[in-house]
């Protein structure tokens, strides 16, 4: 089965940068999407970014466009989320997920990582 592990979270000041990674093990993700979600305190989990594993095509939530960049390293089956110009409202637990469809709905995700905490101070 597929295993996902997100890491790279931490504490940064507003305006700073952080890079998250999500390492995948198990079957190939060809034809799949890798997706980043986040869940802020007291809020529902929300979509952040996704990448089509085969093509590298990227999509971002409006809230992070121009600040976050997703990328992948197929050799080590890892995807990354480079977060720049961080804001306090970016504070959340960030989760990586994998899905065989084009959906970004929470219920459609096939696999989840446990998440990593990102805290942005003001």
């Amino acid at each position: 089965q597929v295993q996902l592990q997100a890491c790279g979270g931490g504490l940064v000041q507003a305006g700073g940068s952080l890079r998250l990674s999500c390492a995948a093990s198990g079957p190939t993700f060809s034809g799949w999407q890798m997706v980043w979600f986040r869940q802020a305190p007291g809020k529902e989990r929300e979509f952040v970014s996704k990448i089509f594993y085969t093509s590298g095509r990227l999509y971002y939530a409006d809230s992070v466009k121009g600040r976050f960049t997703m990328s992948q390293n197929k050799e080590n089956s890892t995807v990354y989320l480079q977060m720049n110009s961080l804001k306090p409202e970016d504070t959340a637990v960030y989760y990586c997920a994998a899905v065989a469809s084009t959906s970004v709905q929470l219920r459609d995700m096939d696999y989840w990582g446990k998440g990593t905490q990102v805290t942005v101070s003001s």
Side-chain angles (χ1 to χ4, degrees), residues 101-113:
S101 75
T102 59
S103 175
V104 294
Q105 296 185 22
L106 295 174
R107 68 176 184 175
D108 291 333
M109 298 298 106
D110 295 301
Y111 300 97
W112 286 96

Side-chain angles (χ1 to χ4, degrees), residues 30-91:
S30 296
W32 289 40
Q33 297 178 102
M34 297 295 294
V35 191
W36 286 100
F37 293 87
R38 67 185 182 186
Q39 187 166 17
K43 296 186 177 181
E44 297 294 322
R45 195 169 299 184
E46 65 177 358
F47 166 77
V48 175
S49 181
K50 71 176 182 180
I51 187 169
F52 284 93
Y53 202 74
T54 54
S55 69
R57 187 175 296 275
L58 299 165
Y59 296 85
Y60 300 96
D62 289 341
S63 60
V64 306
K65 285 181 179 178
R67 300 188 299 118
F68 290 11
T69 303
M70 197 173 178
S71 61
Q72 65 181 357
N73 184 331
K74 292 183 178 180
E75 183 175 340
N76 62 8
S77 299
T78 302
V79 297
Y80 304 91
L81 185 66
Q82 178 67 45
M83 305 183 295
N84 299 324
S85 301
L86 283 163
K87 304 174 181 179
E89 51 263 45
D90 295 318
T91 295

